[in-house]
Amino acid sequence: MSSVLTIRGGVPLTGRVSVRGAKNLVPKAMVAALLGNEASVLRNVPEIKDVEVVTSLLQLHGVTVDKDPVTGDLTLDPTGARTAPSTAIDAHAGDSRIPILLCGPLIHAIGEAFIPDLGGCKIGDRPIDYHLDVLRQFGAVVEKRPGGIHISAPKGLKGTKISLPYPSVGATEQVLLSATRADGITELAGAATEPEIIDLIAVLQKMGAIISVQTDRTIRIEGVRDLGGYNHRALSDRNESASWASAALVTRGDIFVEGASQRDMMTFLNTYRKVGGGMDIGEDGIRFYHRGGKLNPLVLETDVHPGFMTDWQQPLVVALTQAEGVSIVHETVYENRFGFTEALIRMGASIQVHRECLGSVPCRFGQRNFLHSAVISGPTQLTGTDIDIPDLRGGFSHLIAALAANGTSRVTGIDIINRGYERFTEKLAGLGADFDITSTD
């Protein structure tokens, strides 16, 4: 059963939405509970598909996961951890890439892990080579088997020195989750330092891990024999907050995002202000709104933290189609993230994508023939059309384009959005969006 969203555009989104724990932290914190010898409690948990997937995978491996019916807090007890059938893991993993992060914790807990062939959003190569190389450096034995990869460590995981060729968030998470109970000291150079990484380190420190972060992107982990549980409130989802901010700009609306954190969004807030968006920053959230005048074009490059986050790029590109003049966006994190612009062009946007690095410095995609730079001319009137959602952030970007467009749009593939946006249709309804949902076989 799939759903079709029929959107009648041209209605400004106004009102209030609440944003809870970050998609890029909560599933990883749930996995971290496997490392403990007692129960952990995770608070501020959103109702998203990735949480459901990890819950199922943990339960398959004998972890008891209890959800508070009032608060939604999760209690995760790993004391009954066990091996799970590979076919069941494959069935429950679906297209999520989260299972690769279970490797280190499962090896510590039960001595082995099986990872099915992985899916995820089609925005770039996103290879798991980093992960497998990391695990091998810890002493793991990696074997390709039908339907996936079996990983074991007959002699246990050993501390090691690792240098990442690119500050990959996923590989950094893999190192953290594997090194905390490894024998000896692990030093990771070239690490990612996103707020979600720092929050994961906070979770692990609460469990008893010894982890220090240096100023040169080096993380040092002193392995310990045992870890306890944690009680932790997840940081808010800065990506969802930024998406609602862009929605306010594109639809000429006014949205208060409860839970939006200034500290974790400073680079986005600077850019939002340069474009011409209005904001009022409060203790419990941020109000984002269209000031009523013209939007300004800009030159923008995505980058790893503390740069402009790649997940912020796609919703903002929709806003730039309404800016007065020419904007240039250079994507340096995922090579195929401009595929979503095809639907915007059909809606009337003026966007050209290029293989060249249209930024201040050449990036790693510059000589590889990837369409990773975009030139956006505006303002242009968007018109409703039929859209099939390609990925999570691009999908939400298509939604806000349809909400701003003249006429009606039919949007399919919306289930992808549930991976990272909690109850997004309810939130849209609360903001006054004009739409219907129908189900198809």
Side-chain angles (χ1 to χ4, degrees), residues 4-7 384-388 402 408-412 438 440:
V4 177
L5 203 61
T6 301
I7 298 174
T385 189
D386 290 349
I387 302 168
D388 186 50
T408 300
S409 297
R410 292 180 72 259
V411 186
T412 54
T438 54
T440 60

Side-chain angles (χ1 to χ4, degrees), residues 156-395:
L157 299 182
K158 308 291 183 181
T160 184
K161 281 194 173 185
I162 299 172
S163 181
L164 297 179
Y166 183 78
S168 160
V169 169
T172 300
E173 292 165 340
Q174 186 70 259
V175 171
L176 290 170
L177 292 167
S178 300
T180 48
R181 285 184 55 191
D183 180 17
I185 295 172
T186 297
E187 187 175 277
L188 173 64
T193 58
E194 272 70 5
E196 294 82 7
I197 292 288
I198 302 303
D199 211 37
L200 179 59
I201 290 173
V203 166
L204 295 168
Q205 188 179 58
K206 287 179 178 180
M207 300 176 75
I210 302 173
I211 304 172
S212 60
V213 182
Q214 313 299 325
T215 56
D216 61 350
R217 290 191 178 273
T218 298
I219 298 177
R220 191 171 186 270
I221 306 107
E222 298 182 36
V224 298
R225 183 176 296 275
D226 296 300
L227 293 174
Y230 64 77
N231 188 314
H232 188 75
R233 178 180 173 83
L235 83 170
S236 291
D237 196 313
R238 61 196 176 117
N239 296 336
E240 184 180 355
S241 297
S243 295
W244 290 117
S246 293
L249 209 53
V250 173
T251 65
R252 305 181 71 86
D254 189 331
I255 302 174
F256 182 84
V257 183
E258 180 183 358
S261 169
Q262 177 189 14
R263 179 193 61 196
D264 298 331
M265 298 179 66
M266 286 186 169
T267 303
F268 176 83
L269 297 179
N270 287 337
T271 302
Y272 195 80
R273 187 160 275 155
K274 288 178 183 178
V275 173
M279 71 182 79
D280 296 328
I281 301 172
E283 291 296 318
D284 60 339
I286 304 175
R287 175 193 172 206
F288 296 99
Y289 59 95
H290 193 293
R291 292 182 179 275
K294 296 179 180 179
L295 298 182
N296 306 313
L298 51 75
V299 176
L300 177 68
E301 292 184 88
T302 64
D303 203 351
V304 296
H305 185 77
F308 192 90
M309 193 174 184
T310 180
D311 285 350
W312 298 336
Q313 176 257 109
Q314 289 163 298
L316 192 68
V317 162
V318 184
L320 293 176
T321 67
Q322 305 307 304
E324 190 87 17
V326 177
S327 297
I328 297 174
V329 179
H330 181 207
E331 171 62 50
T332 73
V333 179
Y334 289 129
E335 62 268 34
N336 289 326
R337 201 141 211 179
F338 284 122
F340 82 106
T341 60
E342 294 175 5
L344 300 182
I345 292 169
R346 286 192 286 107
M347 298 177 81
S350 177
I351 302 174
Q352 295 177 318
V353 289
H354 298 269
R355 292 180 174 84
E356 292 77 17
C357 294
L358 301 182
S360 60
V361 293
C363 77
R364 60 201 175 115
F365 304 137
Q367 305 304 319
R368 295 169 60 191
N369 286 323
F370 291 115
L371 295 168
H372 70 294
S373 294
V375 177
I376 305 122
S377 302
T380 53
Q381 177 60 61
L382 302 179
T383 304
T385 189
D386 290 349
I387 302 168
D388 186 50
I389 286 176
D391 62 77
L392 178 60
R393 306 300 170 188

Side-chain angles (χ1 to χ4, degrees), residues 55-83:
T55 297
S56 296
L57 290 172
L58 290 176
Q59 290 173 333
L60 278 176
H61 286 93
V63 178
T64 301
V65 183
D66 293 320
K67 180 178 179 179
D68 187 297
V70 177
T71 64
D73 296 349
L74 297 181
T75 300
L76 307 107
D77 186 348
T79 54
R82 61 175 184 269
T83 301

